[in-house]
Amino acid sequence: MTGSNKTTYVAEAGLVSPSLTWETVVSKNIGLDITTLNQRLDFSFDAFTRDTKDMLTNVTLPELLGTTAPQANAADLRTTGWELSATWHDVIGKDWRYGINLALSDNEAKITKYNNPTGSLNEFYEGQVLGEIWGYVTEGIFQEDSEVAAHADQANLGANWRAGDIMYKDLNGDKKINPGSNTLADPGDRQIIGYSNPHFSYGINPDLSYKNWTLNVFFQGLFRDYLPENGNWKAFYPYNAGHVENYYITESWSEDNRDAYFAAPTIGTNTKKNIHPQSRYVQNGAYIRLKNLTLNYNLPTGWISKIGLSSASVYFAGQNLWEATKMHKPLDPEVEYNNNTGLERNDLTQEYYFQRTFSLGVKVSF
Amino acid sequence: MKKNILKISFIVFATLLMVSCNDEFLERQPLDAIINETFWNTENDLKVYNNGLYNMAKDDINVTIMMGHHNGFDSQWAGYEYLDGYSDNTAPIEPRGLRFATVRAGIHQVPNDAQDFGWRGWNFLRAINVGMDNYAKAQVTDAVRNKYIGEARLFRGWFYADKVQKFGDVTWVDHELQIDSPELDSPRTPRADVMEKVLLDLNFACDNLPSAQKVEGDPGRFNKWVALAVKSRVCLFEGTWRKYHGVADANKWLTEAASAAKLLIETGPYKLYTSSDLAHAYNFTHRALDLSGNPEVIYWRKYATGVETNHFQSYHAGYVGGATKDAVEDYLCTDGLPISLSPLYKGDEVFENIFENRDPRLRQTILHPEDQPYYTYGNHPYNTYTYPRIRGQVGGRNSTTGYHIIKVYENVAASAAYNVSTSPAITLRLAEAMLNYAEAVAELGTLTQADLDMTVNKLRARVGMPSLMLNPQMDPRYASWGVSSNIVEIRRERRIELFMEGFRYDDLRRWKLGKKLEVKSYGMRWDAANQSRFDPDKKATIKTATLDGVPYLDVYQGTDYANPKFDEAKHYLWPIPINSISQNPALGQNPGWGN
C-alpha cells in the first residue's frame, strides 16, 4: 500500500477435489437385553463395529502445493466398541428401597486405509489408533554435568545441556536423540507414550430411600492419558507463561531438590528443550468424580395438607463434591477436554475450573 | 374423461422421468462471486489480481522478499531492522529477539515445521503461478499484458532468489500445481537451474515494466527501476556466493549485477538524499515518517491510520538490544583510515571519544550522550536519565551493549500508543544499488576510480567523509580475508551505510565469512570508571569479559548464546523442516543437518 487507502484486490481460487463422493458407513452390532430375578435386574449389552469407508478427511500434501489440499475421501476408519448397562433395584421391608445403575462403555477407532506411502507421522497412517500420543521417553534428569557428556547427544533438541536438564532415552541406540525423519519407519527416539482416547467411561448411580428420605448419588469417570501442551503461554510447565506458580519453585530441579518432577528452570519461553513431548509428563487422566448428590425429605402429607399444600420437600444438593485423580495439580481431568470440540485441550491459564456447588432448598406445590 | 386425464398425466410424468437434464445445465457459474473461469478479461482484472500479490507480499513472516514492519504485535520482530540480529551487528537479548540470537550463535536446529522467514510462502508462489496460467486470457495488448506478467515474474524471481539464498536447491514450480502433480514428490531443483530461471524472470521484468517512476492514482506498483535494483541485489548475491563457495560462472552473475546497477544509477530517476545538515543527512531518511518525495527511495511501504499500522518504533528501540563493539569499531576515522591505522582515533576509554574524528554516520547510527535532546531519546527531558544505559538499569531506554541505535529512532512513534504508528518501511534505496555496483566491479577486477566516485564516494560526500581512492592501505584486521583492500573497504562501506537494514547476515554468508560470527557480541568498555560513571548503583545485568586486559560488556555470557559457533560445513544454509521431508523424502536435507 502506498496510497492512503487500501487497494482493492482479488485472491486466487483454492483447489477443489475432482473426485468427491459420499461416505459409506456400515454398522454391525450385537446386543443382549435381560430382565431377570423377578424384574430386579435389568442388564443390557451391546457390541459394535462401525466401518466408515471413504471418510471425508483433510489431506496433508507437501506445502509446495501452495494451498490447503481439498478434502478427499481418503480414509477408512473402523470403530469397535461395546456398551454395558446394568440396573438393580429392590425393596427391603416396607420402608427401604434401593437401586443402583451402572453404565460402562469403551471404544477404539483405527485408520484402516489411508494413502501415506512415506509413513509420515504428520498425517494419518494405516493402523493408527486415534488418540495416540507420540513422544520421547524420559530417562531422568541429569544430576551432574559429567552425565551429559556420557549420555547420547541431545543437540537436536536444544543447546547447552547441563545438570538439571531432562535426559532423554536413546531408543534407537544411535547415540543421538532426535525425531528421526518423523516417519513410522524412522520415528527417531520417539514412540507411542500414551493414548488420549477415553477408555472405560463409566457412570455409577445408586439411590436409596427410606420412608420420606431419598438419597441420589452420581459418580462418573474414565481412563485415559493426557499430555499437557508445551506451546508458549501454556502454564502447566514451569516458566512457560508469563507468571509463576508456587509449584514451579518447589518442584523444579535444583541441587537441593534433585528428585524434582520438573527440570531446572531456564529463562525465556523459547527453549522447549526440557518440555518436548515425553513420557515423564504424560498424565494418568483416569478419574472418578462425585458429580451429583441429592438428599431429599418429603414432608409428611398429613402435616402439609392442613396448611393447604399438596406437597412439600426440603432438599440438599451438591455438584462436583469429590474427585480422585492422579493428574498433577492444577490439571483437572474434565476441564482439559471440556471445550467445544471435545478433542483439543484447553490451555491451563485460561480455563475455568468446575466449582463445588452446594444448595439447600425447599420445594412446595399447591 | 377422468380416465383420460389420468392417462395423460401418466404420460407426462413418464416423459419427465425419461428426460434427464444434461450436464451443462448442472454446471452453473455463481452469479454473486468472482470465479476463475470468467474473471480474466480486462486490464483492470489483471491489475486487481496482481494487487492480491502485493497484498500477500506484505506478510513479512511468510513472504520475506520485501520485508517491512509487520502489523501490530509481530512488529516486535518481523521487520527488516531486526534482521541484523542474525549477525555481528546487533545483540538482541529480549525473548522476541532470540530467534535471531539462536541463529547467530549457531544453535538452531532442524525444525519440525516451516519456520518464520523460512521454508514457506508457497501460497504466494501459487498465486503468482495462477496468474501466469491465466494472464493470456485477457483481451488486452501484449504491452499491457507484459506489464502485469512483469510484476508477477519479478515477484517470482525475487521469491525464488530468497529461497535459494537460504536453502540452496529449491523445487522450481512455474504453474499451478494439482494434488497429483509430480513436483510434490520430486527432488529439489539444483540451485544453478533455479537461478537461471530467476534471471529469466528478472530480465523479463526489467524489459517490460514501465520506466515511469510512478503513475498517478495507481501508487505502489513495480517499475523498471525496482526490477533493476532487485536484479542487482540477487545477482550480486549469486555471483559472490559462487565465487567464494567455489561454484562455476561467478563472473556471469557479477556482470549481470554490475550492468543492472549501472543502468539504474545512470539512467534512473533516483538520486541520493542530501542535505546541508551533514550531521543528519544520513539518518534523515531512516527516521522520516513520510518517504514520498525522497529522491533516494526506489520502493517503500506506506502505513496509514485505519488501514495498516505498526508498533515497530516502540518495540524496536527496546528489542534490538544495541550495536556491537565490532560494528562500532568498523567506522573509519575522518582521515579515511580505519581505527587500526589512523592517528586520529582517540580510543574508547572515555565513551564520547569513540565518536571523535569518526565517520559522521557513527553518530547518526549510535546515540551520542549529548544527542539525547535532539532525538528526545527515551521520551524524557535531558538529564532525567543519562546515556548510555545498560539492561537492568531502571528508567529511560536501556541497551545490551551501551551502543543505543538511533539510526531509525523517531520519538513520536517510539512513544505512541499500541499499534497506531505509521512508520514507513524502506524496501529498496539507491545507496544499496551503488554499493552493489561497486562490489560487483571490484569482484570482477575492473574497478576504476570513476566507479568509486559514482558510488562509494557519493555516499561519503553526503556525510562529509573523504573519498575512497583506489587501492587504499589494507586494514590489518582484514588482511587475512585474502581479498584486495578495495574489496575490504567496499565491504566496510556496505556494513556502515546499510547498517541494520538486514544485509549483514546474508553478506557474511555469501562472502563465506561465517567464522566472523564466532566473534562474541561485546558491548562498550565497562571498566571501573565507566561503571561508576554510568551505573553507580550497579544495576546492570550484563556481564563482562576481559579483552587485552580491558573489561567489555559480554552480552550473552551465562546464557545459551554465550559461545557462538559457525560450522563451515553446515551453517551457510538453513535446514529443511522434518515434516516437509517426511512427506516428500526426495527433498533431502541440506549438508550437515542430517541426523
Side-chain angles (χ1 to χ4, degrees), chain A residues 88-130:
Chain A
W88 172 268
H89 46 87
D90 199 2
V91 293
I92 302 173
K94 194 158 64 78
D95 295 329
W96 288 93
R97 277 175 289 125
Y98 72 95
I100 184 163
N101 172 272
L102 290 170
L104 182 62
S105 69
D106 189 32
N107 71 69
E108 185 174 276
K110 197 181 234 182
I111 300 288
T112 50
K113 193 192 89 183
Y114 185 81
N115 184 29
N116 176 4
T118 61
S120 165
L121 293 178
N122 210 23
E123 47 188 316
F124 290 135
Y125 59 86
E126 274 178 33
Q128 180 180 9
V129 175
L130 296 191

Side-chain angles (χ1 to χ4, degrees), chain A residues 1-15 17-18 60-67 69-70 118 120-123 155-160 162 176 178-183 186 232-233 268-271 273, chain B residues 34 36 39 48-49 51-52 55-56 58 95-96 98 107 109-110 112-114 119 122-123 125-127 130 171 173 176-179 183-184 219-220 300-304 307-308 559-561 578-580 582-585 595:
Chain A
M1 192 205 66
T2 39
S4 48
N5 295 307
K6 201 158 186 169
T7 314
T8 324
Y9 64 90
V10 298
E12 76 291 355
L15 281 175
S17 170
T60 318
L61 286 175
E63 60 268 77
L64 191 65
L65 183 65
T67 187
T118 61
S120 165
L121 293 178
N122 210 23
E123 47 188 316
N156 253 287
L157 304 188
N160 297 321
R162 57 194 157 224
K176 284 177 183 169
N178 59 36
S181 47
N182 198 30
T183 58
D186 178 19
N232 286 352
W233 314 111
T269 56
N270 285 45
T271 173
K273 67 179 189 177
Chain B
I34 297 169
N36 198 50
F39 174 70
V48 172
Y49 184 80
N51 289 348
N55 184 57
M56 290 174 96
K58 86 181 196 287
R96 301 300 148 195
L98 291 185
I107 55 173
Q109 295 136 15
V110 183
N112 288 331
D113 296 301
W119 189 255
W122 309 107
N123 57 332
L125 175 63
R126 177 173 181 273
V130 167
T171 317
V173 179
E176 183 190 5
L177 295 184
Q178 301 298 324
I179 55 176
E183 286 90 339
L184 298 178
W300 62 291
R301 276 169 55 182
K302 178 172 175 167
Y303 295 75
V307 183
E308 182 86 2
T559 72
D560 286 354
Y561 316 93
I578 289 172
N579 283 332
S580 304
S582 76
Q583 291 192 322
N584 176 16
N595 296 317

Side-chain angles (χ1 to χ4, degrees), chain B residues 99-124:
Chain B
R99 159 90 177 129
F100 303 113
T102 304
V103 173
R104 190 247 183 279
I107 55 173
H108 49 312
Q109 295 136 15
V110 183
N112 288 331
D113 296 301
Q115 282 170 305
D116 304 330
F117 308 150
W119 189 255
R120 51 191 292 186
W122 309 107
N123 57 332
F124 179 63

Side-chain angles (χ1 to χ4, degrees), chain B residues 511-563:
Chain B
W511 298 331
K512 208 167 190 289
L513 288 176
K515 283 291 168 194
K516 189 95 172 41
L517 294 177
E518 295 197 339
V519 178
K520 293 182 185 181
S521 292
Y522 297 111
M524 64 181 285
R525 184 179 178 122
W526 202 246
D527 52 16
N530 271 347
Q531 181 163 16
S532 62
R533 179 180 165 199
F534 296 114
D535 183 27
D537 307 333
K538 293 194 163 54
K539 294 281 189 195
T541 53
I542 305 285
K543 298 189 170 73
T544 61
T546 304
L547 302 173
D548 293 332
V550 182
Y552 288 90
L553 293 174
D554 180 0
V555 177
Y556 297 115
Q557 194 182 118
T559 72
D560 286 354
Y561 316 93
N563 297 300

Side-chain angles (χ1 to χ4, degrees), chain A residues 54-305:
Chain A
D54 301 325
M55 186 170 70
L56 196 60
T57 174
N58 293 325
V59 179
T60 318
L61 286 175
E63 60 268 77
L64 191 65
L65 183 65
T67 187
T68 316
Q71 284 205 328
N73 303 94
D76 287 357
L77 181 76
R78 163 169 284 204
T79 311
T80 53
W82 51 265
E83 290 166 6
L84 180 153
S85 161
T87 308
W88 172 268
H89 46 87
D90 199 2
V91 293
I92 302 173
K94 194 158 64 78
D95 295 329
W96 288 93
R97 277 175 289 125
Y98 72 95
I100 184 163
N101 172 272
L102 290 170
L104 182 62
S105 69
D106 189 32
N107 71 69
E108 185 174 276
K110 197 181 234 182
I111 300 288
T112 50
K113 193 192 89 183
Y114 185 81
N115 184 29
N116 176 4
T118 61
S120 165
L121 293 178
N122 210 23
E123 47 188 316
F124 290 135
Y125 59 86
E126 274 178 33
Q128 180 180 9
V129 175
L130 296 191
E132 285 174 356
I133 305 172
W134 282 79
Y136 297 97
V137 174
T138 322
E139 206 166 319
I141 291 184
F142 291 120
Q143 298 297 337
E144 302 294 340
D145 288 343
S146 59
E147 293 174 32
V148 177
H151 188 67
D153 181 10
Q154 302 193 153
N156 253 287
L157 304 188
N160 297 321
W161 296 92
R162 57 194 157 224
D165 284 336
I166 295 287
M167 183 196 297
Y168 295 97
K169 191 163 190 176
D170 185 12
L171 291 181
N172 60 9
D174 65 356
K175 298 279 178 208
K176 284 177 183 169
I177 310 296
N178 59 36
S181 47
N182 198 30
T183 58
L184 264 187
D186 178 19
D189 299 291
R190 292 170 310 153
Q191 64 179 32
I192 294 168
I193 53 175
Y195 291 91
S196 64
N197 245 24
H199 279 293
F200 303 112
S201 310
Y202 60 87
I204 305 170
N205 185 194
D207 64 270
L208 180 67
S209 60
Y210 172 71
K211 290 187 174 170
N212 288 354
W213 294 88
T214 323
L215 176 68
N216 202 306
V217 182
F218 177 55
F219 294 92
Q220 76 173 37
L222 50 72
F223 296 84
R224 70 157 40 123
D225 298 324
Y226 171 69
L227 179 65
E229 286 193 357
N230 69 355
N232 286 352
W233 314 111
K234 306 284 181 180
F236 172 71
Y237 298 104
Y239 310 105
N240 197 43
H243 69 278
V244 176
E245 304 269 352
N246 187 51
Y247 75 89
Y248 292 2
I249 298 163
T250 57
E251 296 191 46
S252 285
W253 188 93
S254 68
E255 285 178 11
D256 306 324
N257 185 17
R258 290 176 177 275
D259 198 22
Y261 185 55
F262 295 106
T266 47
I267 296 164
T269 56
N270 285 45
T271 173
K272 307 285 181 208
K273 67 179 189 177
N274 288 322
I275 57 173
H276 289 293
Q278 61 187 285
S279 56
R280 187 180 189 90
Y281 301 119
V282 173
Q283 306 292 318
N284 179 351
Y287 74 96
I288 180 166
R289 171 166 274 158
L290 175 53
K291 291 296 286 182
N292 194 352
L293 179 148
T294 313
L295 180 64
N296 189 70
Y297 178 68
N298 285 322
L299 297 172
T301 40
W303 304 355
I304 56 171
S305 56

